[in-house]
Amino acid sequence: MNIFGKLIIIGGAVDKGSFTETDFDKSAAKNLNFFETGILKRIIDESKYNELSRIEVVTTASKIPKEIGPEYLKALSYLDANNVDVLDIVTREQASDPIILERLKAADVVMFTGGDQLRLTSILGGTPFHDILLEKYRNEDFIYAGTSAGAAAASNNMIYQGSSSEALLKGEVKITSGLGLIDDVVIDTHFVQRGRIGRLFQAVVGNPKVLGIGLGEDTGLLITNGRQMEAIGSGLVILVDGRKIKDTNLTEVELGQPISISHLVTHVMSKYDTFDLDTYKMTIKSSQYI
């Protein structure tokens, strides 16, 4: 299938370009700049009409949507994008509202905020809003941009729970269906800072056809044609390729027991590096061997 839209997934918040306080753990409501300025500018530049593009910010995943929405408007306005509004969808009934659906149809960019990805999929999944979103992504010059929960929910396979410290114990990582914009990958966010490498290992060993994508904070991927990935932002993207796994004890151990994996391949991407989902070839932009 030819995909005409673009997918931009971001790992989460960092202390860069914030318009408010940045101590997320102590004051979540005041740390709402989930986009480092460079990534946000890239989203605008990639959109159909640049600063004039119609942008809708979807705060469904968040428990504090009334506070997060205005922060996005402020950040976008700072970059001269003012054709922006917030869609605060909190019920499945709203996801069928004709007015909301018309706004989605008119959007060039939809940005999904952080929060709880299970909240996002349980409210939007299978609704007319979800159907139109997929149709626009597949057939129009349209951008789905998601940070944190909005990124995790973009794939067909979605991690929604799992302790970082116990992630390589069988059964600790919980996976369900996401919004399905991209197949054969599973995405985890706040990846480096929260030590979530084990979560991705377990997700991949259960189905090695699925490529694990770990997004660090202040870091993202621009995915075009549904297949070409470019690292954006200042941090790291970790890719976990399980296709060449030689051995594991996954099916032999009891729930809660450690998992062993032999020959799991990983790649580390930084800004401007690319990865082809068809060939699984990574290209390092500033390779020392060129």
Side-chain angles (χ1 to χ4, degrees):
M1 176 187 296
N2 290 326
I3 302 295
F4 292 92
K6 298 172 185 174
L7 183 62
I8 299 178
I9 48 175
I10 302 101
V14 291
D15 184 9
K16 282 194 176 183
S18 181
F19 291 91
T20 53
E21 294 181 18
T22 55
D23 191 340
F24 184 83
D25 292 330
K26 293 181 180 178
S27 188
K30 294 183 179 180
N31 180 35
L32 304 175
N33 183 54
F34 284 97
F35 286 92
E36 185 269 336
T37 302
I39 294 178
L40 188 56
K41 182 66 164 63
R42 182 66 183 270
I43 293 170
I44 294 169
D45 290 344
E46 291 286 340
S47 68
K48 187 174 182 179
Y49 300 114
N50 305 124
E51 289 85 359
L52 300 178
S53 291
R54 177 61 185 169
I55 301 173
E56 294 282 2
V57 178
V58 179
T59 56
T60 302
S62 177
K63 293 181 179 179
I64 48 172
K66 300 298 184 185
E67 296 171 79
I68 281 186
E71 283 296 317
Y72 275 86
L73 301 186
K74 188 187 297 183
L76 288 161
S77 177
Y78 180 78
L79 296 171
D80 297 321
N82 294 299
N83 189 11
V84 185
D85 211 338
V86 176
L87 278 173
D88 182 19
I89 303 170
V90 297
T91 67
R92 289 183 62 81
E93 184 177 5
Q94 284 180 295
S96 300
D97 186 310
I99 295 175
I100 287 177
L101 298 182
E102 286 303 314
R103 285 175 58 180
L104 174 60
K105 289 176 183 178
D108 303 302
V109 180
V110 175
M111 293 186 180
F112 288 81
T113 71
D116 181 351
Q117 53 264 44
L118 196 58
R119 176 177 169 82
L120 184 59
T121 56
S122 65
I123 291 174
L124 298 182
T127 65
F129 187 97
H130 186 197
D131 293 339
I132 293 169
L133 183 73
L134 290 173
E135 182 73 14
K136 286 179 68 69
Y137 172 67
R138 291 167 181 163
N139 298 302
E140 297 181 19
D141 184 358
F142 171 77
I143 292 178
Y144 173 110
T147 185
S148 191
S155 56
N156 192 49
N157 305 282
M158 181 184 79
I159 296 173
Y160 70 93
Q161 186 177 322
S163 163
S164 297
S165 60
E166 298 178 339
L168 271 176
L169 302 182
K170 183 176 177 178
E172 282 297 320
V173 177
K174 306 298 191 298
I175 299 176
T176 189
S177 297
L179 295 176
L181 283 90
I182 184 168
D183 296 328
D184 299 332
V185 303
V186 63
I187 302 161
D188 211 351
T189 59
H190 299 282
F191 191 71
V192 177
Q193 290 79 356
R194 299 187 188 179
R196 289 177 169 174
I197 188 73
R199 297 201 334 176
L200 212 51
F201 285 169
Q202 182 163 170
V204 170
V205 74
N207 184 358
K209 184 179 188 295
V210 174
L211 178 73
I213 299 175
L215 300 169
E217 294 180 350
D218 189 26
T219 307
L221 283 174
L222 165 64
I223 305 174
T224 55
N225 305 317
R227 312 307 294 170
Q228 304 295 323
M229 306 197 305
E230 177 193 339
I232 58 178
S234 65
L236 301 175
V237 178
I238 311 296
L239 303 180
V240 179
D241 177 3
R243 296 174 308 154
K244 292 183 171 59
I245 288 175
K246 292 183 177 179
D247 199 5
T248 178
N249 63 351
L250 179 65
T251 62
E252 301 303 309
V253 298
E254 300 295 327
L255 288 175
Q257 295 301 304
I259 298 170
S260 302
I261 310 169
S262 170
H263 213 261
L264 191 61
V265 176
T266 61
H267 307 278
V268 181
M269 301 176 69
S270 59
K271 193 172 184 178
Y272 302 128
D273 293 344
T274 59
F275 189 88
D276 189 313
L277 285 169
D278 287 324
T279 64
Y280 268 53
K281 180 182 179 182
M282 176 177 163
T283 302
I284 297 177
K285 176 70 173 178
S286 301
S287 171
Q288 68 185 31
Y289 301 118
I290 295 177

